Amino acid sequence: MRVAVIGAGIVGVTTAYELSVDGHEVTVFERRDTVAAETSFANAGLVAPGYVTPWAAPGMPGKVLRHLMSRDAPVRLHANFDLGWAWKWWRACRAETYRANRLRMQRLAWFSRDRLHEITRHLRLEYERRQGCLVLLRTAKDLALAQTGLATLTELGTRFEALDAEQCRAIEPELASGTPLHAGIHLPDDEVGNCRQFALLLRKKAEELGARFVFETTVQKLRGGPRPTLVHLRTPRQKPSVSPTSHGRHVSDAWPDTEPVAPEPVAEDYDAVVVCAALGSPMLLRPLGLKLPLRAVYGYSVTAPLRRGDHHPDPGPRSALMDEHFKVAISRLGTRIRVAGSAELGGSPLRHHPDAIATLYKVLTDWFPGAAQLQHAQHWKGARPMLPDGPPVLGASGIDGVWLNLGHGSSGWALACGSARLLADAIAARTPSIDIEGLGIGRLRR
């Protein structure tokens, strides 16, 4: 089949690869100049199935309201946020709905991690990755609040170990001794990996299988049917004359060879179209009668080189950590350290909230003071495409010829490989490898 994929984030790249593995003729359309340039660019990098749960959970509305009063809050709400989405999210926080969605996401997360390992091993991909994740609990109250999560891990058969402060520091020797630490939870089977690096490598493997990536191209219109049609327009950006600053927004250093600019939009027919365009998807699907409640929940990260010296040849974390109190992840990516967190509802993608950045620096200096070269730090803000109830939407859209792989929220990296494989199996009418109940568009039409 001749298949078009819209979007080249981690979800679009993995989808293109899996479809190419199945022998399809794949073309990927991406508005940016490279893959993984937006939401997938500088995320935390955690692949932690035990932590992949719906944000819509019992008690969460109250927690969000309490967080809004704190300067270091992990959640921030702006006046322009969609109240209709918030209402649907509030309804999904009911215990029965949460349990169903949690199991759906967990099944997909474990399958996705296994598929990630299969791809990495089969293709011999070498990217920055480390094994293990340590959850840091600053106080006895943090430990008490974590008990519900521990019960969930036990129920799901997730391997973990409850640790005291001394045992935590044995796993992560560079943790600051002056920062209060009550306990920890070690998840040895979880990991951290460089999402963007993986996407760049997998793009090359997809191209070796025949996939074609068309960058700096915006899909303007989509029509369903036995031969669905895309209308796209080349939209190249002006190449920069100088390199971006370390605190500026990302601009790719490598500008790929591109085809001549088409003066007019181009319409092309395909056998199938897969929409992986994250927050650009509702605009394409709405004219077809499909209204998805997909909204941006922004996250932040700070990435900096580790400071090496004779007395500290290997500073910083050994793998991944989660500060449970501030909901901030700390990741080791090669010779760099990344702190990531925050959930900003509404606002602007171009405006960095100073308190959100300050919280990331606070958590970094609390646990690893002096470990990073902060003068070279890179700030990033990305929009997580989130559905109100949690799980993504995979499979047929209900529109002839149009398929969906959308709404992974803050778990795109953790769910991408499994979602892509399930989508490719659905297009091929194969029996899925896991139970996909509740992952289709029907869930949102009830």
Side-chain angles (χ1 to χ4, degrees):
M1 293 173 62
R2 191 165 179 258
V3 184
V5 175
I6 307 174
I10 186 61
V11 173
V13 172
T14 51
T15 298
Y17 171 75
E18 295 289 7
L19 290 169
S20 299
V21 167
D22 283 358
H24 298 295
E25 180 185 339
V26 179
T27 302
V28 183
F29 294 93
E30 167 57 46
R31 63 181 180 177
R32 299 294 293 268
D33 66 294
T34 187
V35 303
E38 295 187 12
T39 302
S40 306
F41 178 67
N43 55 33
L46 290 179
V47 180
Y51 250 80
V52 176
T53 56
W55 199 51
M60 187 60 73
K63 290 181 182 178
V64 169
L65 290 175
R66 288 191 295 273
H67 283 317
L68 295 179
M69 306 303 294
S70 170
R71 180 176 181 272
D72 292 318
V75 180
R76 290 178 174 81
L77 180 64
H78 291 266
N80 66 338
F81 190 66
D82 185 345
L83 294 180
W85 188 97
W87 169 251
K88 292 175 183 177
W89 169 76
W90 180 80
R91 293 187 63 194
C93 288
R94 292 178 294 188
E96 183 178 353
T97 304
Y98 166 74
R99 282 194 295 270
N101 286 327
R102 186 195 72 199
L103 291 175
R104 291 161 180 160
M105 294 182 74
Q106 292 286 342
R107 282 195 299 267
L108 179 57
W110 287 112
F111 173 65
S112 188
R113 193 193 66 173
D114 291 344
R115 184 58 184 158
L116 169 64
H117 290 170
E118 289 174 8
I119 292 171
T120 300
R121 184 171 54 251
H122 175 68
L123 299 178
R124 299 180 180 179
L125 301 181
E126 294 185 5
Y127 59 98
E128 296 166 343
R129 56 190 297 220
R130 296 274 181 132
Q131 193 70 26
C133 179
L134 179 63
V135 181
L136 302 173
L137 304 167
R138 292 176 179 246
T139 65
K141 182 180 179 181
D142 288 342
L143 177 59
L145 291 173
Q147 294 305 312
T148 300
L150 292 179
T152 300
L153 294 178
T154 301
E155 179 184 346
L156 294 167
T158 304
R159 193 161 65 105
F160 71 91
E161 185 179 6
L163 307 175
D164 59 26
E166 184 178 350
Q167 291 170 316
C168 290
R169 290 192 166 93
I171 291 174
E172 290 286 355
E174 297 299 321
L175 282 171
S177 59
T179 300
L181 177 59
H182 180 73
I185 302 163
H186 187 228
L187 299 155
D189 297 328
D190 289 350
E191 61 190 85
V192 61
N194 190 321
C195 174
R196 182 169 183 265
Q197 206 174 58
F198 178 88
L200 289 166
L201 294 171
L202 198 64
R203 170 204 165 183
K204 294 297 184 185
K205 296 299 181 181
E207 288 177 326
E208 290 173 9
L209 293 171
R212 176 172 170 256
F213 285 76
V214 181
F215 294 109
E216 297 181 301
T217 299
T218 299
V219 176
Q220 298 181 318
K221 190 180 297 183
L222 176 60
R223 291 193 290 266
R227 293 278 293 169
T229 303
L230 285 184
V231 178
H232 58 83
L233 178 69
R234 286 275 293 118
T235 51
R237 295 183 302 162
Q238 186 176 357
K239 298 182 182 181
S241 57
V242 296
S243 299
T245 65
S246 61
H247 290 276
R249 291 187 296 276
H250 167 69
V251 178
S252 174
D253 294 326
W255 293 83
D257 293 334
T258 56
E259 299 172 3
V261 176
E264 299 290 341
V266 175
E268 289 188 88
D269 294 340
Y270 289 87
D271 298 307
V273 174
V274 185
V275 183
C276 305
L279 293 166
S281 304
M283 180 187 68
L284 292 172
L285 296 169
R286 194 177 297 115
L288 303 180
L290 182 55
K291 297 181 180 180
L292 285 181
L294 195 66
R295 297 293 181 269
V297 176
Y298 296 104
Y300 291 81
S301 72
V302 173
T303 308
L306 287 165
R307 190 188 307 279
R308 295 180 178 273
D310 294 337
H311 298 292
H312 295 282
D314 190 20
R318 290 183 173 179
S319 185
L321 305 96
M322 172 65 73
D323 186 315
E324 187 66 15
H325 182 78
F326 292 101
K327 305 297 182 184
V328 168
I330 309 172
S331 306
R332 174 67 175 265
L333 297 172
T335 59
R336 296 171 300 146
I337 189 171
R338 176 171 294 164
V339 262
S342 190
E344 187 172 295
L345 310 175
S348 165
L350 301 179
R351 183 180 182 275
H352 288 200
H353 198 295
D355 288 347
I357 297 294
T359 298
L360 298 184
Y361 276 111
K362 170 183 168 49
V363 172
L364 174 58
T365 55
D366 277 356
W367 296 115
F368 299 100
Q373 301 178 50
L374 297 182
Q375 69 274 24
H376 299 300
Q378 180 189 57
H379 297 173
W380 173 83
K381 181 180 182 180
R384 305 162 179 146
M386 193 173 288
L387 292 164
D389 60 350
V393 173
L394 312 176
S397 68
I399 301 162
D400 199 12
V402 179
W403 301 79
L404 306 177
N405 194 354
L406 294 168
H408 298 76
S410 59
S411 301
W413 173 219
L415 300 177
C417 291
S419 298
R421 185 65 258 162
L422 292 175
L423 189 282
D425 288 342
I427 288 179
R430 283 193 294 264
T431 302
S433 300
I434 63 170
D435 182 2
I436 59 172
E437 180 278 327
L439 296 179
I441 191 66
R443 178 185 92 242
L444 300 176
R445 288 175 167 164
R446 293 169 189 166

